[in-house]
Amino acid sequence: MKPFIVPGSGGRHLVEGIAGILGVRARPLAVETFPDGELRPRVGALHGGDVYLVAPTCPPVNERLVELLLLLDACRRAGADRVTAVVPYLGYARQDRRAVAGEALGARAVIDAMRATGAQRLVVLDPHSRAVEAMSAVPVETLTAVPLLAAALAGSPEDTVVVAPDLGAVKSAERLGELLRHPVAVVRKTRTSGSSVRALDLVGEVRDRRAVIVDDMISTGATIAAAAELLVAAGARPEVTVAATHGPLTADAIPVLRSAGVRRLLVTDSVPAVAEHPSWVEVRSVVPLLADAIHLLHRNTSV
Ligand code: R5P
């Protein structure tokens, strides 16, 4: 039997392409919203199916998350044999530790809820933290878009330096630096609120170099802007390139990045674009990557 591809609302832009590569038709999704805001998603019959629910929990994060939980339950009750939640962008993944007493471990709570509602396996793409895998009682397949971003940056000049804008991005920067054969620099940052950060200092040689900043995601653009400003102040060339897997960009992110000196931004389509991008923003598709992972999992092969 072929895999069943079911979209969540945040994954509608991905499923046609995935289904096309796999030679199947994506299953329909209907979502009704009640006057009080409750969601009522419906999937068709899935009897005996190996179901892949493609549902990034991108903004509006809480709505997408509740929809995903309801869909997982719906898939199970519709007779699915096996349900895999394909969540390329995993909202709440940044809450992978308690920064101060009294906070929740948001990432853990979200993953537990997915399991409780029927997810038998998760597929995630460049989650904020690899700790996601250790937190999950069901198997997690972690994909990365770094090679895809590297391919888009192939041929970058020799004087390029790959920069991690915070310590969490060091692994991705090392991987990108290795693929492109460029040195790596690291910025140390501190977050002062949800939308403001401070770049504290820099390790690595950036003077007269072209910086490519790499991160898992861009939300407000504050992390990238702080890093870009620090790099230019440290003598890097003023035109900065940014490569990030996820671009759940808030309304102000584009102007924030531009005024910090970003001249080229690469993101993937792991989340749907909410507005038309300016010409200096390029979007690379993760559809082939997701289709390949689903193909392998459906054949019970390791990803
Ligand atoms: C945090 O550590 C993440 O890796 C990103 O750097 C951060 O979440 C991006 O958010 P913003 O664009 O709002 O700074």
Side-chain angles (χ1 to χ4, degrees):
M1 195 186 272
K2 300 242 183 185
F4 289 12
I5 309 299
V6 179
S9 296
R12 288 185 202 267
H13 66 298
L14 299 169
V15 291
E16 289 306 329
I18 293 173
I21 292 174
L22 297 173
V24 299
R25 293 185 70 167
R27 299 278 156 156
L29 166 74
V31 186
E32 191 181 345
T33 304
F34 283 93
D36 64 358
E38 284 185 6
L39 299 174
R40 186 191 184 203
R42 280 194 310 285
V43 293
L46 300 169
H47 292 290
D50 182 20
V51 174
Y52 295 83
L53 183 51
V54 182
T57 51
C58 48
V61 176
N62 296 332
E63 199 162 308
R64 297 280 185 257
L65 177 61
V66 171
E67 184 197 271
L68 169 60
L69 301 179
L70 295 174
L71 280 171
L72 286 166
D73 190 65
C75 289
R76 190 171 53 171
R77 292 175 200 281
D81 203 31
R82 183 167 72 166
V83 183
T84 299
V86 181
V87 190
Y89 173 72
L90 179 64
Y92 284 94
R94 287 182 286 181
Q95 293 187 28
D96 59 348
R97 65 193 170 87
R98 291 184 301 156
V100 293
E103 285 183 351
L105 196 52
R108 172 74 194 253
V110 161
I111 290 167
D112 280 354
M114 287 194 245
R115 180 177 63 101
T117 46
Q120 287 157 279
R121 188 166 42 189
L122 302 179
V123 176
V124 293
L125 175 70
D126 288 328
H128 174 66
S129 156
R130 288 299 294 242
V132 160
E133 185 168 2
M135 286 177 195
S136 174
V138 299
V140 178
E141 305 295 344
T142 304
L143 311 178
T144 178
V146 171
L148 187 69
L149 299 170
L153 292 164
S156 46
E158 259 185 38
D159 59 359
T160 302
V161 58
V162 175
V163 181
D166 57 27
L167 300 182
V170 171
K171 285 266 171 263
S172 297
E174 283 176 347
R175 181 94 196 268
L176 189 64
E178 211 172 278
L179 290 169
L180 295 174
R181 297 176 191 281
H182 294 311
V184 170
V186 180
V187 172
R188 197 165 63 87
K189 87 169 185 204
T190 182
R191 184 170 282 285
T192 44
S193 77
S195 59
S196 68
V197 306
R198 206 146 45 84
L200 300 173
D201 44 46
L202 172 70
V203 179
E205 190 43 65
V206 301
R207 181 161 298 281
D208 297 327
R209 286 185 170 271
R210 294 167 217 260
V212 173
I213 306 177
V214 61
D215 207 353
D216 59 325
M217 63 174 284
I218 302 173
S219 174
T220 64
T223 298
I224 299 295
E229 283 159 6
L230 185 72
L231 289 167
V232 174
R237 294 172 65 147
E239 66 281 358
V240 173
T241 294
V242 175
T245 301
H246 310 290
L249 305 167
T250 58
D252 290 339
I254 292 288
V256 163
L257 295 173
R258 192 66 175 175
S259 55
V262 177
R263 291 296 169 264
R264 184 181 180 202
L265 170 61
L266 280 167
V267 287
T268 78
D269 60 357
S270 65
V271 304
V274 287
E276 203 174 314
H277 290 311
S279 58
W280 52 277
V281 180
E282 294 164 43
V283 181
R284 301 287 156 144
S285 183
V286 293
V287 161
L289 184 64
L290 297 177
D292 193 42
I294 291 172
H295 173 71
L296 293 170
L297 291 172
H298 180 60
R299 293 165 62 102
N300 293 320
T301 310
S302 117
V303 172

